[in-house]
Amino acid sequence: MNVEDRVYLLERLEQLRKSKVLVYFSYSTLDDSILVPLYRQLKEIGPTPKIDLILHSYGGTVDTPYKVVMLIREFCQEFSIIVPYVAKSAASMMVLGADEVVMGPLSELGPIDPLVKHPVYKDILVPVQAVWHCFDYLQRSITTSSDPEIASFMATPMLNKLDPWLIGDYEKTIKASRQYAEILMTNYMFKNSPERVETVVRALTEGYYSHGYPIGHREAKELGLNVLSAQGELLDVIWNLYQIYAELFKEK
């Protein structure tokens, strides 16, 4: 499909949703580099009753989702996120700051598990829970081993490579992800049922062992999220837009 097809589908989506539509489609880490381009687009649109964000992201840093949500909400009264396929980890946290999430049969949210620097290889980003489970494994290996001295001897070289300040930063990241999730849900996604916030925060930050666990539209509803299951023309338009953007990234 060409540019005209993409523009037509975006305009049709705006008609169907009675909104202004923004798109964030990326395979790169979600971080603060999104903020200035997003602000430019929002200024161009100006204040508007409703904004929909088409979101495709595998996640990123812990602070960015909150900043994105609060920036968009400066320009609208109602904010929804459309997930054609994947909005994982930090991108799932962004969903918690919407009034509604639009999902289809292939749409996936995921556990809230932000990325942090690898404790040894600084250029590599890893899910913070993976690091923390490593610490937990080492601790259990030492305390439950039939010969704790041997287990400690094996674990000590790895532990010696870890910067204690970095470990503290991991702990802060976990606490920050919980704090942001609580604030966003209380003020937006769960504003009508605040009593469920604590349970859902615990589920999203501690309840799933796989970083890539797929939370589909049915499970998202069971958690209590305000999910619109896209059907008919709405689903077709959303999916066609996803395919166009996916093809654009293949060409780069």
Side-chain angles (χ1 to χ4, degrees):
M1 293 186 180
N2 55 31
V3 175
E4 289 77 14
D5 295 320
R6 186 167 81 246
V7 171
Y8 167 77
L9 288 170
L10 287 169
E11 290 177 347
R12 183 60 184 146
L13 182 58
E14 290 185 336
Q15 292 168 0
L16 291 170
R17 294 281 299 162
K18 297 180 175 59
S19 68
K20 289 291 184 181
V21 173
L22 297 171
V23 180
Y24 179 76
F25 194 108
S26 179
Y27 294 100
S28 302
T29 301
L30 174 65
D31 59 28
D32 284 1
S33 63
I34 184 181
L35 296 174
V36 172
L38 175 60
Y39 182 54
R40 288 198 197 102
Q41 288 211 6
L42 288 167
K43 284 189 69 178
E44 186 175 329
I45 292 172
T48 187
K50 181 178 179 181
I51 288 177
D52 283 335
L53 174 67
I54 297 176
L55 179 61
H56 179 85
S57 171
Y58 286 87
T61 60
V62 68
D63 300 313
T64 300
Y66 183 80
K67 295 178 184 180
V68 170
V69 169
M70 301 313 293
L71 177 58
I72 291 175
R73 285 191 170 278
E74 288 287 328
F75 289 83
C76 64
Q77 291 129 30
E78 184 179 350
F79 172 46
S80 298
I81 288 180
I82 298 171
V83 181
Y85 186 16
V86 169
K88 293 298 189 74
S89 191
S92 291
M93 189 188 296
M94 202 185 302
V95 169
L96 302 180
D99 299 301
E100 173 188 64
V101 57
V102 182
M103 303 176 70
L106 274 178
S107 302
E108 293 181 15
L109 307 179
I112 296 174
D113 191 7
L115 300 176
V116 293
K117 289 183 179 179
H118 191 283
V120 178
Y121 307 105
K122 307 302 183 184
D123 294 334
I124 298 176
L125 294 175
V126 293
V128 67
Q129 293 289 352
V131 180
W132 221 242
H133 283 303
C134 174
F135 296 153
D136 180 62
Y137 170 76
L138 290 173
Q139 182 181 16
R140 284 187 290 107
S141 297
I142 294 170
T143 57
T144 62
S145 173
S146 58
D147 192 335
E149 288 188 9
I150 293 178
S152 177
F153 175 77
M154 295 174 63
T156 297
M158 183 181 297
L159 292 171
N160 285 340
K161 293 182 179 181
L162 300 178
D163 184 339
W165 296 104
L166 199 58
I167 295 173
D169 196 44
Y170 294 159
E171 175 70 12
K172 286 198 300 181
T173 299
I174 291 172
K175 290 181 177 179
S177 64
R178 288 183 57 89
Q179 182 180 42
Y180 283 134
E182 288 172 358
I183 293 171
L184 291 174
M185 282 194 283
T186 300
N187 291 336
Y188 304 113
M189 182 61 74
F190 282 71
K191 61 181 179 291
N192 296 322
S193 51
E195 71 282 355
R196 300 196 61 177
V197 168
E198 185 177 348
T199 300
V200 178
V201 168
R202 189 179 303 114
L204 291 176
T205 57
E206 302 175 18
Y208 300 95
Y209 294 114
S210 171
H211 179 73
Y213 182 94
I215 300 175
H217 66 106
R218 289 190 176 89
E219 188 167 352
K221 283 183 180 179
E222 290 171 2
L223 285 170
L225 274 64
N226 183 21
V227 178
L228 173 65
S229 297
Q231 298 177 353
E233 185 185 4
L234 177 61
L235 178 59
D236 291 340
V237 169
I238 291 170
W239 186 247
N240 286 335
L241 280 167
Y242 166 77
Q243 291 180 300
I244 287 174
Y245 283 104
E247 285 297 322
L248 283 174
F249 272 79
K250 284 182 182 179
E251 294 171 3
K252 291 183 179 180

